[in-house]
Amino acid sequence: MTSTFEAPPPIREDDLSNMMRTYKPRTPGVRHLKRPINDHLWKGRAYLPLTYPRKGHGIGGRNNSGRIMVRHRGGGHKRRIRVVDFSRMEAGKHTVERIEHDPGRSAHIALLNHDGTQEKSYIVAAEGMRAGDVVQSYRKGIPADLLKSMGGVMDPAMIAAKTAWRGNCLPLHMIPPGTLVYNIGLRPGAHGQLCRSAGTYGQLVGSSDSQRQAAGETQRQSKSIYVNVKLQSGEVRKIHKQACATIGVASNANYNRRQLGKAGRSRWLGIRPTVRGVAMNASDHPHGGGRGKSKGNVIPISIWGRTPAKSGFKTRKKSNVNRAVVIPRVRNQGRRRRDQSGGGAR
């Protein structure tokens, strides 16, 4: 019997992956300009059937009645919204036609072409994904030809070796522990919601069954429907094992190292200036007014005067506990934990 096993996509170690492009300071605006080197991106326009124009007063942070809901938004270059498929429910092989820049997100997107139906779709590209790669989605189950190639035996290790490749979308229970994933769903049948921005990922650290068995529970008592995923913040969450995730790391990992170089580049992105409260009038901010730079001997509070603006003020009710969090993330850069243990400098 001939096997239909195909080689996984190649591991590309580009020497330019960790480098930033700088420019000769011919003008003051490019002296401090730094950009990630992304020469593999598509130079043309987007696939127009999967886009629609971004227009209306919502661009300026307004709601349907025209009131400002989000400050520091407005202006910028005109854009088109890309319709990105976060669900990945369509089974079958998809060939990556090209990698594109999306002005609406920090990560890159990949234009896929279904080998059978020739339908096109956008997905969040994985780091290292290039044109010509073949990706699949196994959310609807394991294909019959893959089962036939394995002799009809449901071996989890063999299934993971043939499916857990970069860019493939799988249920969490089919992904081996220790794998880096992105575009993680939270519920069965839902689309990916976590780890979608540039360079983000989560890591499977095992299921809740292994922790319960380590605590002394029997196999029947330790039956769980959740797996544990560790996020980059250090938080460990339990997520339903039927939820989806994509193998790999979200693309454009050097996005956080960029430098815009000048204020006008922020305006092109639709970001308006942020004015300090002490520079405003007393009628505009609780810190405003007075002679000189004085905020009136009050604690730092927000512009609405409701909550403190510093020291990590928590607005979540203590009775409303997030039961999906197994290990909470470290807050205040770990200072509070060190202070409580008595080992940190005050």
Side-chain angles (χ1 to χ4, degrees):
M1 178 174 55
T2 60
S3 175
T4 60
F5 176 75
E6 297 180 0
I11 299 176
R12 300 178 177 90
E13 295 182 356
D14 192 358
D15 296 335
L16 304 178
S17 59
N18 293 323
M19 296 179 61
M20 304 292 290
R21 175 167 287 144
T22 58
Y23 300 86
K24 183 176 291 187
R26 292 187 174 91
T27 61
V30 298
R31 179 177 295 276
H32 301 288
L33 178 62
K34 289 185 179 180
R35 291 171 171 170
I37 299 178
N38 294 316
D39 294 335
H40 62 281
L41 293 182
W42 173 251
K43 304 299 190 297
R45 298 190 65 182
Y47 184 66
L48 290 182
L50 292 178
T51 63
Y52 61 92
R54 176 175 177 261
K55 58 184 179 180
H57 58 229
I59 297 177
R62 270 76 170 173
N63 62 358
N64 57 354
S65 63
R67 295 181 179 270
I68 296 179
M69 295 289 103
V70 182
R71 299 190 301 157
H72 316 137
R73 298 280 183 90
H77 199 284
K78 68 175 183 178
R79 304 177 182 178
R80 294 187 69 88
I81 303 296
R82 275 70 169 172
V83 180
V84 180
D85 182 17
F86 297 111
S87 300
R88 303 285 300 276
M89 296 298 296
E90 187 68 26
K93 295 183 179 181
H94 294 74
T95 302
V96 178
E97 285 196 2
R98 61 200 186 206
I99 308 296
E100 298 183 9
H101 165 73
D102 187 356
R105 67 189 70 253
S106 57
H108 298 151
I109 57 176
L111 181 64
L112 304 184
N113 184 27
H114 195 283
D115 292 355
T117 61
Q118 302 300 319
E119 292 185 0
K120 299 185 185 299
S121 60
Y122 277 126
I123 65 168
V124 178
E127 185 70 19
M129 182 181 291
R130 296 293 185 271
D133 291 353
V134 177
V135 296
Q136 297 191 54
S137 176
Y138 298 95
R139 295 197 64 179
K140 292 185 177 180
I142 303 174
D145 57 347
L146 182 58
L147 280 176
K148 187 177 179 180
S149 66
M150 295 186 299
V153 179
M154 296 285 292
D155 186 3
M158 185 62 69
I159 292 175
K162 294 189 175 184
T163 58
W165 298 346
R166 179 186 62 222
N168 287 355
C169 184
L170 295 87
L172 287 174
H173 68 87
M174 292 178 56
I175 303 176
T179 307
L180 300 182
V181 295
Y182 72 100
N183 192 30
I184 307 169
L186 295 178
R187 294 176 301 276
H191 62 276
Q193 293 177 258
L194 300 180
C195 304
R196 303 194 316 198
S197 59
T200 57
Y201 60 88
Q203 185 177 20
L204 270 72
V205 294
S207 61
S208 300
D209 297 342
S210 58
Q211 293 184 352
R212 295 185 179 184
Q213 291 177 9
E217 298 185 11
T218 62
Q219 181 70 22
R220 180 173 297 180
Q221 293 174 342
S222 63
K223 194 66 175 178
S224 175
I225 60 174
Y226 298 100
V227 297
N228 295 333
V229 178
K230 183 178 181 180
L231 305 178
Q232 287 176 293
S233 61
E235 179 178 297
V236 178
R237 295 178 64 99
K238 60 179 183 180
I239 303 176
H240 200 283
K241 64 180 182 180
Q242 295 293 341
C244 67
T246 306
I247 306 297
V249 179
S251 56
N252 199 13
N254 290 325
Y255 176 81
N256 61 342
R257 297 174 56 194
R258 79 200 189 286
Q259 294 182 11
L260 298 182
K262 63 179 183 178
R265 208 173 297 273
S266 292
R267 302 305 299 266
W268 298 345
L269 297 176
I271 304 173
R272 301 189 70 242
T274 301
V275 181
R276 295 169 297 130
V278 294
M280 298 183 187
N281 296 324
S283 60
D284 298 326
H285 199 281
H287 298 170
R291 296 177 181 271
K293 299 179 180 178
S294 173
K295 63 178 184 295
N297 196 21
V298 295
I299 61 173
I301 56 179
S302 64
I303 189 173
W304 304 279
R306 292 194 295 264
T307 58
K310 296 185 66 176
S311 305
F313 183 78
K314 294 183 177 61
T315 58
R316 190 184 188 97
K317 294 182 180 180
K318 293 184 179 180
S319 60
N320 187 18
V321 180
N322 190 352
R323 303 185 185 276
V325 177
V326 179
I327 301 177
R329 62 184 175 91
V330 177
R331 299 176 185 271
N332 289 350
Q333 291 78 43
R335 289 195 298 266
R336 186 178 302 169
R337 178 176 296 181
R338 290 195 300 268
D339 294 344
Q340 291 176 355
S341 63
R346 298 184 181 275

